[in-house]
Amino acid sequence: MCDVGYQLAADQHGCEDVDDCMQVPSPCPQLCVNTQGSFECRCHPGYELVNGECVESEDLCLGNNCEYQCQPLKETDSPPYRCICAEGFVPVPHAQHECQMFCNQTECPADCDPNYPDTCRCPEGYILDEGSVCTDIDECANGNCINALSCKNLPGTYECICGPGMVKTGNDCDPIPVIGGGGDDGGSGEPPVSPTPGVTSSPRPAGSVHSGVLIGISIASLCLVVALLALLCHLRKKQGAMQAELEYKCGVPSKEVVLQHVRTEQMPQKL
């Protein structure tokens, strides 16, 4: 006797595999692959095996807006597809469904219309040369990076290298703005000297005040308020003392008149 999936060989002693895919009808709906002691069912491209049946796969690229081609991903991904571009093109960073020309070398083939060979275009930062070749533009040779220490040309673009006392703004260099000012002796409030001749520093923005000045003004204002409060308290105490003394003086004559009247009444009795 042989295990399931095997049958008795011709010598009536050994066991050999049974080709299940040769059965009629086939055990699989589309494709059958025989294995040792068993078999596997597979489906044609565009179909997937679900509960033993081959059903048409869901088109994950359905409703896409890719400019060139759509590549399906997993159903759990969002979106479940990815836009790809032709050779020499890359997706636009902020619009992945669109494609833009890309060249990471000094020369790249131009994108020419097959119906109009004379109509060709180049990536940004390149110029059409010799009919169908795009050549990198040397922006540094065109006078860019005026205020920079040096200029570095790159494929399709350039980079400005700023020196001390300079800050990179956009694709150029500007002097670092100085907050606060110094006296006539040329203190630390003076703007740093630019390494590039003929470049003047930016003037200090109107209305900007040093933080130390603001702190000093705040402390002075607080001291003034405290002094005024102390003076007001002193004046009130002094006014109260004067009023008490006045009341006392006003009350003394009346007491003396009473005493004198008493003494006058008592004197005849003693006589």
Side-chain angles (χ1 to χ4, degrees):
M1 298 180 63
C2 298
D3 293 335
V4 177
Y6 292 86
Q7 62 184 2
L8 193 64
D11 59 3
Q12 300 298 313
H13 294 283
C15 294
E16 60 182 7
D17 176 57
V18 176
D19 190 353
D20 300 281
C21 294
M22 297 300 295
Q23 298 179 16
V24 179
S26 176
C28 296
Q30 290 186 355
L31 301 177
C32 179
V33 178
N34 185 58
T35 60
Q36 285 293 325
S38 184
F39 63 95
E40 292 181 1
C41 292
R42 299 179 182 178
C43 300
H44 296 297
Y47 292 83
E48 56 183 347
L49 190 65
V50 178
N51 297 328
E53 298 292 335
C54 290
V55 296
E56 188 174 1
S57 301
E58 182 181 358
D59 188 5
L60 300 179
C61 287
L62 184 65
N64 74 89
N65 58 348
C66 296
E67 183 177 346
Y68 183 67
Q69 287 184 358
C70 172
Q71 180 182 5
L73 300 176
K74 297 179 181 179
E75 294 183 3
T76 56
D77 295 336
S78 180
Y81 63 87
R82 178 179 62 185
C83 295
I84 58 177
C85 298
E87 185 178 359
F89 292 80
V90 293
V92 178
H94 302 293
Q96 294 291 322
H97 63 283
E98 298 180 1
C99 297
Q100 64 181 4
M101 293 189 67
F102 175 75
C103 179
N104 198 27
Q105 301 175 359
T106 56
E107 291 184 356
C108 290
D111 181 29
C112 300
D113 190 340
N115 298 322
Y116 302 94
D118 295 336
T119 305
C120 300
R121 60 172 182 165
C122 294
E124 185 177 357
Y126 289 80
I127 187 173
L128 188 63
D129 189 17
E130 296 181 359
S132 60
V133 177
C134 296
T135 305
D136 175 49
I137 300 174
D138 189 355
E139 291 85 0
C140 296
N142 293 340
N144 292 335
C145 299
I146 299 177
N147 300 332
L149 183 64
S150 61
C151 179
K152 182 179 181 181
N153 186 51
L154 300 172
T157 183
Y158 65 98
E159 180 183 3
C160 296
I161 301 176
C162 303
M166 307 292 286
V167 62
K168 193 169 184 179
T169 55
N171 221 358
D172 204 348
C173 299
D174 289 331
I176 299 176
V178 179
I179 301 177
D184 297 336
D185 55 349
S188 60
E190 292 184 355
V193 179
S194 173
T196 306
V199 178
T200 57
S201 60
S202 301
R204 184 166 61 94
S208 60
V209 182
H210 197 275
S211 58
V213 177
L214 294 176
I215 296 175
I217 294 174
S218 302
I219 295 176
S221 302
L222 182 61
C223 292
L224 181 60
V225 172
V226 173
L228 290 175
L229 292 176
L231 180 60
L232 182 61
C233 291
H234 177 71
L235 291 176
R236 286 186 176 180
K237 289 181 180 179
K238 187 175 181 180
Q239 184 179 4
M242 292 178 62
Q243 185 176 1
E245 183 179 358
L246 181 60
E247 291 178 355
Y248 175 77
K249 289 181 179 182
C250 293
V252 169
S254 61
K255 293 179 180 180
E256 291 180 355
V257 172
V258 173
L259 292 174
Q260 186 176 2
H261 179 68
V262 172
R263 289 174 182 174
T264 304
E265 291 179 353
Q266 292 177 356
M267 286 179 63
Q269 294 177 0
K270 291 182 180 180
L271 293 175

